[in-house]
Amino acid sequence: MGADRVHAYGAAAGLLGDLLLGDPRRGHPVAAFGRAAGAVERLLWRDHRGWGALHTVVCAGGAVAVAAVAARAVRGRPAASVALTGAATWAVVGGTSLVREARGIGRALEAGDVETARERLPRLCGRDPQALDADGIARAVVESVAENTSDAVVGALVWGAVGGVPGLVGFRAVNTLDAMVGHRSPRHLRYGWASARLDDVAGWPGARLTAVLAAAAGDDPRGAVRAWRADAGRHPSPNAGPVEASFAGALGVRLGGTLSYGGRVEHRPVLNGAAGRPVVARDIERAARLSRRVGLLALGVTVAARFVATKALDARKGRTS
């Protein structure tokens, strides 16, 4: 069995596992990586970019090395290779947990239970829930669903198609490091610089594919493309901008604006402001469904792209041999 088929079967099995099982309550490999990265930070932390870069190399490089050793150990055994790819895909993809948390908040809002929605919001994003009313919570959830569709699903599938199991694990390691140290807190402004920049680079292809697929799978493809072209570049994040703008246009809503993180207020540009309406609770379910469709389409696109790339490489080798 060729490597392209191993990847296709393993990635499909892993995504199916996520759809059926979601993340484990205890013993998640990503949580174990986070604890190890936290221990490395306690050992290495200095208020210096160089030490932060070393932290990134040790943690992300170590994760990729372990994955490469595991992939090499099962090379030549198709069943074991498919199983490893499936397990790695299931471990790094988080679409079901994302949708589950979003829907839980949406149900609370639709029932008028704003306090429960506020209690649940920190499980999904870092906004200050007490600073938000019901519509503000709904907007935060839709924005988080859009951004995490790229980070927790599509980006992982892209790097899995490019680099196999090491690609899957490496992308999740980089994304986790960014969440841990890549934010603009006084402690991590310099120390987390390398992790944040590496996450921007790793997330670039997945974010663009997510934006394309959201436009294709959404209710208003033209609106999604229009919002992406007009507003994505105004967002402070090079990857969240295209994703959130495309989701906003596809759903016909406005995203962005004033928000609060850890007591720090930010005024972000409004996405799809000319054509969209304010987000309301029912839009959370629409965003969740769009996220599901985008994830499934991403699986098909990345598997097909790997097949095409493998065939092209084989043909090239045949011409030069």
Side-chain angles (χ1 to χ4, degrees), residues 41-138:
E41 180 186 354
R42 289 191 293 273
L43 180 66
L44 295 181
W45 186 88
R46 306 287 190 280
D47 190 16
H48 190 277
R49 284 185 177 182
W51 285 94
L54 178 60
H55 174 257
T56 303
V57 170
V58 169
C59 295
V64 171
V66 170
V69 169
R72 186 178 182 85
V74 299
R75 186 178 299 171
R77 293 185 285 162
S81 296
V82 169
L84 179 63
T85 303
T89 303
W90 168 76
V92 305
V93 167
T96 292
S97 294
L98 169 66
V99 167
R100 182 185 296 146
E101 291 297 339
R103 283 173 168 163
I105 297 171
R107 286 192 296 269
L109 290 176
E110 292 192 40
D113 190 353
V114 178
E115 286 306 312
T116 295
R118 287 196 179 109
E119 290 175 5
R120 298 191 65 155
L121 186 63
R123 304 179 193 176
L124 192 64
C125 65
R127 307 286 174 86
D128 292 336
Q130 299 305 320
L132 299 173
D133 59 10
D135 289 349
I137 293 172

Side-chain angles (χ1 to χ4, degrees), residues 172-196:
R172 177 54 60 220
V174 169
N175 192 248
T176 303
L177 289 175
D178 178 61
M180 294 178 67
V181 303
H183 41 83
R184 293 180 176 273
S185 68
R187 176 179 174 84
H188 294 128
L189 185 61
R190 281 179 283 274
Y191 188 81
W193 179 86
S195 290

Side-chain angles (χ1 to χ4, degrees), residues 17-312:
D18 178 66
L19 289 171
L20 296 177
L21 303 174
D23 293 331
R25 299 287 183 181
R26 296 179 180 177
H28 197 295
V30 175
F33 171 80
R35 290 191 294 271
V40 173
E41 180 186 354
R42 289 191 293 273
L43 180 66
L44 295 181
W45 186 88
R46 306 287 190 280
D47 190 16
H48 190 277
R49 284 185 177 182
W51 285 94
L54 178 60
H55 174 257
T56 303
V57 170
V58 169
C59 295
V64 171
V66 170
V69 169
R72 186 178 182 85
V74 299
R75 186 178 299 171
R77 293 185 285 162
S81 296
V82 169
L84 179 63
T85 303
T89 303
W90 168 76
V92 305
V93 167
T96 292
S97 294
L98 169 66
V99 167
R100 182 185 296 146
E101 291 297 339
R103 283 173 168 163
I105 297 171
R107 286 192 296 269
L109 290 176
E110 292 192 40
D113 190 353
V114 178
E115 286 306 312
T116 295
R118 287 196 179 109
E119 290 175 5
R120 298 191 65 155
L121 186 63
R123 304 179 193 176
L124 192 64
C125 65
R127 307 286 174 86
D128 292 336
Q130 299 305 320
L132 299 173
D133 59 10
D135 289 349
I137 293 172
R139 191 192 84 195
V141 171
V142 171
E143 289 172 355
S144 295
V145 167
E147 184 173 1
N148 284 296
T149 298
S150 176
D151 288 343
V153 183
V154 180
L157 293 174
V158 167
W159 282 102
V162 171
V165 171
L168 285 163
V169 172
F171 176 80
R172 177 54 60 220
V174 169
N175 192 248
T176 303
L177 289 175
D178 178 61
M180 294 178 67
V181 303
H183 41 83
R184 293 180 176 273
S185 68
R187 176 179 174 84
H188 294 128
L189 185 61
R190 281 179 283 274
Y191 188 81
W193 179 86
S195 290
R197 300 291 77 76
L198 183 58
D199 183 67
D200 287 342
V201 173
W204 196 95
R208 273 71 192 168
L209 179 58
T210 303
V212 169
L213 297 179
D219 297 335
D220 186 359
R222 289 185 179 179
V225 173
R226 182 172 59 247
W228 180 5
R229 294 180 62 185
D231 298 329
R234 300 165 58 218
H235 196 285
S237 168
N239 294 330
V243 173
E244 291 185 19
S246 186
F247 262 72
L251 297 170
V253 300
R254 293 198 299 269
L255 298 178
T258 302
L259 50 85
S260 177
Y261 284 102
R264 185 183 76 254
V265 176
E266 294 185 15
H267 300 284
R268 292 185 178 176
V270 175
L271 307 177
N272 198 39
R277 56 169 175 78
V279 178
V280 294
R282 67 176 180 273
D283 292 315
I284 293 176
E285 177 61 27
R286 297 176 61 225
R289 291 178 179 175
L290 179 57
S291 177
R292 286 292 201 199
R293 293 196 294 271
V294 168
L296 292 172
L297 285 173
L299 175 65
V301 169
T302 54
V303 165
R306 176 146 179 163
F307 269 109
V308 171
T310 299
K311 297 301 181 187

